[in-house]
Each structure stands twice: as C-alpha cells, then as structure tokens.
Amino acid sequence: MLELRNLQGGYGEIQVLFDVSLTVGLGEVVALLGRNGMGKTTTVRTIMGLLPPRGGTLVFDGDSLAGQPPFAIARRGLGLVPEGRQVFPTLDVRENLIATARPGDWTMERVFALFPRLAERRHHLGRQLSGGEQQMLAIGRALMTNPRLLILDEATEGLAPLIRAEIWTCLAELKRAGMAILVIDKMLDEMGHLADRHVIMEKGVTVWSGTDATLTHAVRERYLHL
Ligand code: ATP
C-alpha cells in the first residue's frame, strides 16, 4: 500500500533522511522506532507532503506521492495524527471533527462510539480538553478524513498509563476493522503486540526491520539503547 524506497529528505540545506525504506501493507500495523532525532517525524512529514522528497521513491497504492501537496495526499487516503496533537483550540469537539470530514464509513457518530468520552465532551473547546482527550480528538479528526492508512506520530506521548491503554485499545480495534497503521511511539512494550512489524531508524537510515518476536534484547540495546 505504502512503499518508501531509499527515500531522502530534509529541511532546506540540511539533509536528515539519507536512506529510508519501509512498506505498510493492506491492514498491516508497522511501528517506526528510533531514538530521539533519528528522523521519524521527518519521514512522516515527507510522506504527508509537508517536506519534499529529495530522492528515492514514495509510492501509495501504486502512484508516486512525490511533488503532491499535502491536501492531495490526504485525499488519497492518508490520515495523520500529528506530533503534539494540534487540535483546533477554539473550536469545540464537534467542530474539530467536522473540519476534516470527508464522506465514507467514518462519521462523527462512529468516532463517538469509538471514544465515548469525546461524545460527553462534544461541546467543549479543544483547549479545554485533557491531553488524553485531545489525542482522542486528533485520532477522531484523522478518521473523519476516512483514510485507508492512519499515521500516528507519537501515539501516546505524555499520557497517563490508563489513557495510554485506552489509545492502544482503540488502535487494536481499528486494526481489527482492517485499517493499515504506521505508528511512532516510545512505549515499545505496550505497542509490541499491536505491530505486525517494526522498522528501526538510525540517523536518517532504516537499519533494521522485523517482527516483535525478533526484536530481541540485543536489537533493542544496539539500536534503541534500551
Ligand atoms: P523525536 O523522537 O525526538 O521526535 P525524530 O526521530 O522524530 O525524533 P526528527 O524530528 O525527524 O526526529 O528530527 C531529525 C533531525 O532533524 C534532528 O537532527 C532534528 O534536529 C532535525 N530537524 C527537525 N526539525 C527540523 C527543522 N525544522 N529544521 C532543521 N532541522 C530539523
């Protein structure tokens, strides 16, 4: 579905991505791992058209995404839950959800069924929500675009354990419903069971990929310093 092959990219004169290769298949959940500053967010921004690729290939459903603007990429079926959530602070929950809505199976009612807590808070402004509620809203907002691939940059960063558990349960539900997911998160042990495959980045290069079972202590120590 999504294929990055030897992708290069960066900011202005600064090259950050040197050789990024990964794939996400239909209904597959892939975790993108790496220590701080290794280029995970830069990879996501490049996929979403927020940064131009400078080399290599970036293909979704057989078509190149290179040079396409973010709105066109989103319209093709890539939904982003950005780092830092970035909900609209002065819009209420309903308005946040409506803002990105596109026709499809995902409606506001379905998002509210997935996150009953959002339904209770439907008239609260984005800025009045807790961090966990904002993350639920960010996920709901991405789902309202009716994506075929959901990308989460730091799925549970800064959230309390109980809220993290809710987010993982929700992602497992989405996986069961057939959603393909590319997820970045530091909570490796919590995310492990969800991910079909892990891909590790080091200094702008994808250096390892494998299943949760093959992500051994030695691999974690070598690439993630865990
Ligand atoms: P983290 O886990 O800390 O979010 P990351 O793996 O997502 O890390 P990136 O945010 O992609 O890493 O950063 C990769 C490199 O790009 C870092 O060296 C960072 O300093 C650099 N970088 C990030 N944003 C910019 C920018 N706007 N301009 C220049 N360099 C940047």
Side-chain angles (χ1 to χ4, degrees):
M1 198 176 203
L2 178 71
E3 182 174 11
L4 282 56
R5 230 6 100 215
N6 312 115
L7 189 72
Q8 298 170 33
Y11 305 86
E13 310 237 301
I14 304 165
Q15 185 163 358
V16 172
L17 306 181
F18 293 91
D19 186 0
V20 177
S21 297
L22 65 84
T23 59
V24 185
L26 268 178
E28 197 179 23
V29 177
V30 176
L32 183 58
L33 311 174
R35 287 177 288 128
N36 287 345
M38 291 300 165
K40 303 179 297 296
T41 294
T42 307
T43 299
V44 167
R45 287 188 186 143
T46 308
I47 295 171
M48 295 304 298
L50 300 164
L51 290 170
R54 300 196 180 153
T57 51
L58 174 52
V59 171
F60 184 65
D61 262 356
D63 293 324
S64 174
L65 297 182
Q68 297 200 31
F71 74 85
I73 291 175
R75 203 173 279 169
R76 277 171 176 268
L78 285 101
L80 175 65
V81 181
E83 193 174 21
R85 329 198 206 286
Q86 298 178 26
V87 301
F88 302 116
T90 56
L91 300 186
D92 71 16
V93 166
R94 289 181 66 263
E95 290 163 340
N96 263 278
L97 291 173
I98 290 166
T100 61
R102 290 185 52 230
D105 289 348
W106 281 99
T107 58
M108 196 165 354
E109 286 67 37
R110 193 165 166 203
V111 169
F112 284 157
L114 184 67
F115 295 120
R117 195 190 287 243
L118 281 186
E120 287 164 21
R121 307 242 164 198
R122 68 181 77 200
H123 298 302
H124 286 62
L125 300 181
R127 64 161 185 259
Q128 295 172 319
L129 303 176
S130 69
E133 290 161 354
Q134 286 190 4
Q135 185 64 343
M136 291 170 194
L137 182 53
I139 294 172
R141 197 176 54 175
L143 290 173
M144 291 290 285
T145 69
N146 274 285
R148 283 175 297 132
L149 170 67
L150 186 65
I151 303 180
L152 297 104
D153 191 354
E154 302 290 359
T156 67
E157 190 176 36
L159 302 181
L162 275 177
I163 308 290
R164 290 206 303 270
E166 272 187 56
I167 300 285
W168 294 126
T169 303
C170 138
L171 294 182
E173 258 180 62
L174 294 177
K175 179 183 179 175
R176 268 197 301 279
M179 180 78 77
I181 300 175
L182 178 64
V183 57
I184 298 174
D185 204 82
K186 297 197 173 60
M187 295 295 161
L188 198 46
D189 291 328
E190 296 177 10
M191 179 168 61
H193 311 294
L194 179 75
D196 298 301
R197 275 184 309 114
H198 298 276
V199 176
I200 301 182
M201 284 188 79
E202 207 171 43
K203 296 182 183 155
V205 179
T206 40
V207 289
W208 186 91
S209 108
T211 61
D212 198 44
T214 58
L215 188 65
T216 59
H217 187 67
V219 173
R220 291 176 187 223
E221 203 168 55
R222 172 162 180 199
Y223 296 115
L224 305 172
H225 298 186
L226 292 174

